[in-house]
Amino acid sequence: MAVSPNWFGVANIIAEVEATGVTLGVSIIPPSGAHFAHNADRRFVAASTAKIGIMIELFHQIDTGKLSLDQIRPFRAADVTGGSGVVMNLHEGLNLTLGDLVYLMMSISDNAATNMLIETVGQDAVNATMHSLGMTDSKLGRLMRGRPMIAGEQENWAVPGEYAAIIAALLAKRVVSPSACDQMIALLETQQNNRRIARHLPRAGGPRWGSKTGSLPGVVNDAGFIMTGHGPLCLAVFCEHTDPLAGEETIGAISRAALAAAG
């Protein structure tokens, strides 16, 4: 019989960090035993964690035969946007496949690539699929601009409990087809920012892990998984009213404490 994790270490870190004025949302799904939740049903600014839903809708449309990873989407001057990425610095007319775009979106959080995918799959379709998968309060409200929302725009929202649950569903191959889930898990594993969920993992010979980060002024997020000897540990950590370095340290500390609690 599985022993329920002792979440005291996680709860203590949250209390210490929130005492400084930071607001945290944490959802942890261990390989076995009771889940941990703190503000897990509250909406947080998603930043680039919203790209998980875009990836899922892309593979949903690939599964239905509407799209293909080999399909070409030329880069246009109108696709230039702010924030992270490299595509905006490349030449107009460059032919990129949808496979190229989703890799860039997930590995380096490329905003131009992301907006090209939103245009391809449709924002309404992303939200409809997220809703059908239980992500009823998370929402893709706007394109990626590399800045906070301004007046007249909708926000991209993320609910920690919904994000941890969708990561667990991907690993259980319950989101779309098993082969598509495998491809999405592999894309999460291309994450190049190892300073959050993976902060305290060995750089060589460590466990498999994957995630999607998100950052805006005052916002530092990560949602993903770490494979343990007992199965996957899925976690989503959202930080508001923090700075980048402190936010990354907080996520790393919570991830390390979650691993210890899960055994």
Side-chain angles (χ1 to χ4, degrees):
M1 180 177 178
V3 176
S4 293
N6 181 340
W7 297 115
F8 175 79
V10 173
N12 190 51
I13 292 167
I14 291 171
E16 290 179 354
V17 172
E18 289 200 324
T20 69
V22 176
T23 300
L24 296 177
V26 182
S27 179
I28 304 171
I29 304 175
S32 61
H35 299 182
F36 177 86
H38 174 81
N39 287 332
D41 296 326
R42 178 189 183 276
R43 275 184 162 187
F44 286 78
V45 174
S48 288
T49 59
K51 295 169 183 178
I52 292 173
I54 300 164
M55 174 182 70
I56 290 171
E57 177 55 22
L58 172 65
F59 279 90
H60 174 253
Q61 294 190 23
I62 290 169
D63 265 1
T64 60
K66 184 176 180 180
L67 296 176
S68 164
L69 287 176
D70 296 327
Q71 185 172 323
I72 297 295
R73 169 57 161 84
F75 173 60
R76 307 172 309 210
D79 296 319
V80 174
T81 190
S84 57
V86 298
V87 172
M88 67 187 78
N89 299 310
L90 304 180
H91 65 83
E92 183 180 357
L94 176 68
N95 284 331
L96 294 160
T97 66
L98 299 187
D100 294 331
L101 294 176
V102 71
Y103 169 78
L104 289 165
M105 177 176 75
M106 300 306 291
S107 65
I108 62 170
S109 210
D110 193 294
N111 281 347
T114 301
N115 291 346
M116 292 162 74
L117 286 174
I118 293 173
E119 181 186 82
T120 300
V121 302
Q123 181 174 311
D124 289 344
V126 172
N127 285 321
T129 293
M130 289 169 64
H131 195 278
S132 72
L133 293 169
M135 302 180 77
T136 55
D137 289 319
S138 299
K139 181 181 179 182
L140 179 66
R142 64 185 177 95
L143 296 174
M144 304 293 155
R145 300 299 187 196
R147 56 159 173 76
M149 176 187 69
I150 60 175
E153 290 182 336
Q154 298 293 314
E155 185 57 278
N156 295 325
W157 294 112
V159 176
E162 294 179 356
Y163 269 73
I166 202 64
I167 296 293
L170 276 171
L171 290 162
K173 303 184 182 180
R174 293 187 282 102
V175 175
V176 285
S177 68
S179 62
C181 287
D182 284 340
Q183 291 177 79
M184 287 189 278
I185 293 164
L187 283 164
L188 289 170
E189 291 180 307
T190 67
Q191 171 62 251
Q192 294 190 15
N193 184 339
N194 60 11
R195 300 182 303 276
R196 299 187 187 184
I197 282 176
R199 188 180 189 89
H200 298 290
L201 297 180
R203 293 294 170 250
R208 286 178 56 199
W209 68 278
S211 78
K212 183 68 203 78
T213 59
S215 303
L216 281 171
V219 171
V220 182
N221 306 330
D222 206 2
F225 69 91
I226 300 170
M227 296 302 297
T228 78
H230 305 292
L233 174 74
C234 302
L235 62 165
V237 185
F238 290 76
C239 310
E240 286 185 356
H241 315 301
T242 189
D243 66 76
L245 291 178
E248 291 193 329
E249 290 174 356
T250 295
I251 294 173
I254 290 172
S255 175
R256 179 169 59 181
L259 278 169

